[in-house]
Amino acid sequence: MNAELPSPDDRDDRGEYLAEVQYSLPPALEAFHDLYVKAYLNYAHTMLGDKEAARAVVRSCFTHLALNWQRVTRSPSPEAYAWALLKARVDTHLRLAGLDPQMVETAAFQRAARDVLESVRSRFEVMETALGLYTAIASLPERQYDVIVLLYVLGYPSCRVARIMGVERDTVRSHRRLAKRRIAQRLGLPRHQATDEEKE
């Protein structure tokens, strides 16, 4: 599956997402932007179900990063800092809209999941409705939820997920394994059915 959703559109240049920053940007921030802006847009759009809201959230994140870039670069992991910031902004937007911050039934999520649902069902041998799988995913702890969404809904390989979240690849594997066990348990499947090949 192509990891890039058809929406939000490709207006991801610096003029769009760093427009509020009125000084020249450090080259490292520009490179960071180029590496992660599409992933952030895809995740935000999937969670919010609204491409304009996703753009606003991502624009806000990159403005914050630009204004605090020295502090960001002093953090143990700029990627983890930025991912936590994105998650907080998405959660705030959902709360202000009166929605569940860990929502998986947006139209964007359903469109993105459609192409991978049969593959996930096959791996878990789940023959239930999609809603059962969505509910099982929604019940996951936050980090496991993010890994499953990035891997199976947005289609990113594990190495890319690790970079996006600012964690080690082994951490992604661990979250994936634990998430699959929880999903299998919630769906009443034997534990041995909760394994599959690693997405590379």
Side-chain angles (χ1 to χ4, degrees), residues 168-175 177:
E168 297 296 326
R169 192 166 171 181
D170 285 346
T171 302
V172 170
R173 289 186 179 125
S174 176
H175 285 318
R177 183 173 60 253

Side-chain angles (χ1 to χ4, degrees), residues 116-129 133 180 183-184 187-196:
V116 296
L117 178 58
E118 290 307 320
S119 146
V120 175
R121 277 182 173 170
S122 166
R123 290 182 182 132
F124 287 139
E125 296 182 15
V126 176
M127 301 312 295
E128 301 179 1
T129 65
L133 182 58
K180 289 167 70 64
I183 291 170
L187 296 173
L189 299 173
R191 180 173 293 186
H192 72 274
Q193 291 183 8
T195 60
D196 73 349

Side-chain angles (χ1 to χ4, degrees), residues 133-155:
L133 182 58
Y134 293 159
T135 303
I137 293 172
S139 71
L140 293 171
E142 181 179 4
R143 287 298 186 95
Q144 293 175 26
Y145 174 84
D146 289 345
V147 165
I148 292 298
V149 169
L150 289 167
L151 281 173
Y152 293 110
V153 177
L154 295 178

Side-chain angles (χ1 to χ4, degrees), residues 150-169:
L150 289 167
L151 281 173
Y152 293 110
V153 177
L154 295 178
Y156 291 113
S158 59
C159 56
R160 176 73 169 149
V161 172
R163 289 194 299 270
I164 290 168
M165 294 179 65
V167 298
E168 297 296 326
R169 192 166 171 181

